[in-house]
């Protein structure tokens, strides 16, 4: 797997731990919600970065009180037909004001890159077949947005209204 963060292909510094894996002495780790609930004190006492991976049916509300102590929330896409993580990313950014990394993991497809960025994902785990050119091409597919979103793009209706006001 490759990691794209803020539109750049980077080396992933994070270690994803299984629920039974030993907690390393140092380094940034991503744990499941279940592991976080079980080992919360030990995880929060660490000096290194902490991330939580939420399954598609786990909304971020239960971790809302801890977001100021988290550096990353990974949202799982188990299949292209399950889009709950889009809503959860937007919830993290807009409702909870989460400033850390929001990462898309699992079944992340090229056709989804643009939408993922729009709702607040700033990191995507992608397959080895995705090249920087393919990523850029996918983002360039749509030049205008129709709705407001976490990315701050001005919607088409607002652009039309501005143009109409200039014409008057």
């Amino acid at each position: 797997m490759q990691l794209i963060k803020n539109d750049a292909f980077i080396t992933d510094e994070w270690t994803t731990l299984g629920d039974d894996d030993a907690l390393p002495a140092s380094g940034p780790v991503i744990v499941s919600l279940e592991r976080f609930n079980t080992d919360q004190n030990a995880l929060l006492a660490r000096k290194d970065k902490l991330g939580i991976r939420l399954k598609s049916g786990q909304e971020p509300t239960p971790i809302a009180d801890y977001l100021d102590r988290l550096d990353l929330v990974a949202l799982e896409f188990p299949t292209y037909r399950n889009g709950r993580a889009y809503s959860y990313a937007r919830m993290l950014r807009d409702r909870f004001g989460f400033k850390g990394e929001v990462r898309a993991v699992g079944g992340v497809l090229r056709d989804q890159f643009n939408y993922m960025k729009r709702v607040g994902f700033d990191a995507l785990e992608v397959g080895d077949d995705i090249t920087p050119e393919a990523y850029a091409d996918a983002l360039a597919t749509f030049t205008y947005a129709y709705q407001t979103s976490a990315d701050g793009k001005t919607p088409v209706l607002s652009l039309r209204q501005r143009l109409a006001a200039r014409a008057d």
Side-chain angles (χ1 to χ4, degrees), residues 9 15 26 43 74 110 119:
F9 284 69
T15 300
S26 64
L43 290 164
R110 181 181 190 270
V119 298

Side-chain angles (χ1 to χ4, degrees), residues 14-17 23-24 26-31 43 46 49-52:
W14 293 82
T15 300
T16 300
L17 297 180
L23 188 61
S26 64
V29 296
I30 301 171
V31 298
L43 290 164
R46 295 176 84 241
K49 294 178 182 178
L50 176 60
I52 294 180

Side-chain angles (χ1 to χ4, degrees), residues 19 21 23 31 34-45:
D19 289 344
D21 291 346
L23 188 61
V31 298
E34 294 80 12
R35 174 84 183 255
F36 178 75
N37 289 334
T38 301
D39 296 336
Q40 188 176 107
N41 291 336
L43 290 164
L44 292 173

Side-chain angles (χ1 to χ4, degrees), residues 66-102:
Y66 302 98
L67 289 173
D68 61 332
R69 301 187 61 194
L70 297 176
D71 299 283
L72 177 149
V73 176
L75 301 173
E76 192 173 290
F77 284 83
T79 174
Y80 71 91
R81 294 175 299 200
N82 187 327
R84 288 184 267 192
Y86 289 107
S87 299
Y88 299 158
R90 184 92 191 256
M91 184 185 298
L92 283 165
R93 295 294 190 207
D94 293 347
R95 186 183 306 169
F96 299 129
F98 183 60
K99 302 292 185 211
E101 179 178 320
V102 179

Side-chain angles (χ1 to χ4, degrees), residues 53-56 75-87 89 103-109 112 116 119 121 124:
R53 180 176 175 144
L54 299 177
K55 295 177 186 165
S56 67
L75 301 173
E76 192 173 290
F77 284 83
T79 174
Y80 71 91
R81 294 175 299 200
N82 187 327
R84 288 184 267 192
Y86 289 107
S87 299
R103 181 181 291 194
V105 298
V108 177
L109 303 175
Q112 300 170 315
M116 288 177 174
V119 298
F121 286 101
L124 313 170

